[in-house]
Amino acid sequence: MNRITELLGIKYPIFQGAMAQISRHQLVSAVSNAGGLGILASGGLTADEVRDEIRKTKALTDKPFAVNLMLMMENVAEIVEVLIEEGVKVVTTGAGTPKPYMPRLKDAGIIVIPVIPSVKLALKMQELGCDAVVAEGMEAGGHIGEMTTMPLTRQVAANVDIPVVCAGGIADGYGFVAAMALGAEGVQMGTVFLAAEECPIADAYKQAILDSIDTSTVVTGRKLGAPVRCLRNQLTDKYLALENQDISRHELEEMTMGALSKAVKDGDIDNGSLMAGQIAGHVSSIRPTKVIIAEIMTEARSVFDKLTNI
């Protein structure tokens, strides 16, 4: 047991990343039932839809789970009220500062854990009274920062007193142990759970993860200051070509409108946004969530034992 497992009441210090349109009750409950922290993604949902997902998750697990708040959404305040009404105990945040909502969340006894890309922001979150932070490196899938996981995690852990969860490029026991060696007390993983049996994405999307190699991902949107990591396909090739021309941000955004849904729901691996991290090339099979987590922990213990014998 460490500070993360004690704080959250979970068996293993493993978070499942909040992937938009993907981290729904099926996957979230499976992760929580397996001993980790499942996290519902509220991005793009109405308050009523979030409430429905919370209730469906509760029907499938009596273990702790969290809800992620995308703070750039216009309906955040409404969703916060839903979380309080539904008795959600843990919230992770991204895409902004939770400062406006901290009094309400803390008065309700909710644990708040922001995802941060720098030491500066980690310190600000600590000052706000957040309970822990997720230090996410640019190896992660989806929207990313500029720092890589290893230097980010080490420097955040060295500069804050609250627990640190390491994210970006982790999919097995080796990555788990590496994160702990850097000073983290937990890990957050998304890409490995894309290949979970319970993950509600199209089979073609899952197969694209299994078919990927170490160099399969690319980052779009860097020129516009909104970098996103995905598997390379026709959409990313077209986007990158246009991004280097005199094309407006609006035109580029129009081109990707609905692209994530095409990947998640339709299995369109050519024109969909196949968000995935650089570790995708290490994910080689579709497994039940409980097997994924159990194998990570078994491997982590084996790796740690080897290191103690050096």
Side-chain angles (χ1 to χ4, degrees):
M1 180 175 286
N2 64 17
R3 289 192 294 173
I4 285 293
T5 55
E6 186 174 359
L7 174 68
L8 302 174
I10 57 179
K11 185 175 182 180
Y12 305 123
I14 294 177
F15 290 19
Q16 157 254 307
M19 299 170 282
Q21 299 188 33
I22 297 171
S23 298
R24 298 290 190 252
H25 62 277
Q26 304 96 319
L27 177 61
V28 172
S29 60
V31 170
S32 290
N33 283 332
L37 182 73
I39 304 177
L40 283 169
S42 67
L45 299 182
T46 66
D48 285 340
E49 288 171 333
V50 173
R51 190 189 303 276
D52 184 54
E53 282 295 315
I54 291 170
R55 291 181 177 180
K56 285 179 177 177
T57 303
K58 286 180 178 178
L60 295 173
T61 185
D62 59 357
K63 302 294 192 297
F65 66 92
V67 176
N68 176 261
L69 287 174
M70 290 296 290
L71 297 166
M72 64 188 296
M73 297 189 305
E74 294 182 357
N75 62 342
V76 175
E78 189 179 358
I79 291 175
V80 166
E81 294 307 312
V82 167
L83 304 187
I84 294 170
E85 291 167 9
E86 294 297 323
V88 171
K89 302 300 183 185
V90 186
V91 165
T92 64
T93 69
T97 176
K99 184 176 181 178
Y101 312 102
M102 284 296 288
R104 194 80 180 97
L105 292 169
K106 299 313 289 185
D107 285 347
I110 295 175
I111 294 167
V112 181
I113 306 177
V115 178
I116 52 89
S118 69
V119 171
K120 181 179 180 180
L121 287 176
L123 288 168
K124 285 186 176 182
M125 295 303 102
Q126 179 174 264
E127 291 171 6
L128 278 179
C130 295
D131 299 275
V133 291
V134 177
E136 184 178 75
M138 54 90 73
E139 295 94 326
H143 297 273
I144 57 173
E146 290 298 322
M147 289 194 69
T148 57
T149 299
M150 192 168 184
L152 174 63
T153 300
R154 182 67 205 113
Q155 291 177 85
V156 170
N159 282 278
V160 300
D161 298 318
I162 56 178
V164 176
V165 175
C166 174
I170 303 169
D172 63 8
Y174 285 87
F176 181 98
V177 172
M180 301 300 133
L182 293 169
E185 296 182 54
V187 298
Q188 178 168 288
M189 303 180 293
T191 302
V192 69
F193 289 120
L194 290 173
E197 286 185 358
E198 298 87 350
C199 186
I201 62 174
D203 289 343
Y205 192 164
K206 291 187 182 183
Q207 190 59 48
I209 297 294
L210 302 186
D211 292 342
S212 64
I213 60 173
D214 57 332
T215 56
S216 290
T217 67
V218 294
V219 178
T220 61
R222 273 204 171 108
K223 186 176 179 181
L224 302 175
V228 177
R229 185 178 298 282
C230 304
L231 295 181
R232 182 187 290 276
N233 62 3
Q234 291 180 19
L235 175 65
T236 61
D237 286 347
K238 181 180 179 181
Y239 189 105
L240 288 169
L242 292 174
E243 187 177 358
N244 292 319
Q245 300 175 20
D246 188 21
I247 302 295
S248 71
R249 180 169 188 159
H250 177 71
E251 290 176 284
L252 288 170
E253 288 177 346
E254 277 196 336
M255 188 177 73
T256 58
M257 193 72 68
L260 181 58
S261 181
K262 288 179 182 178
V264 172
K265 297 179 181 178
D266 303 334
D268 188 341
I269 61 172
D270 294 320
N271 304 297
S273 180
L274 303 170
M275 294 187 182
Q278 284 186 316
I279 201 66
H282 190 59
V283 180
S284 59
S285 63
I286 296 174
R287 297 167 288 168
T289 296
K290 64 180 180 180
V291 172
I292 293 173
I293 291 178
E295 289 184 353
I296 287 171
M297 295 310 302
T298 297
E299 186 175 54
R301 295 186 186 100
S302 176
V303 172
F304 181 77
D305 288 343
K306 291 176 183 177
L307 291 175
T308 58
N309 291 324
I310 291 177

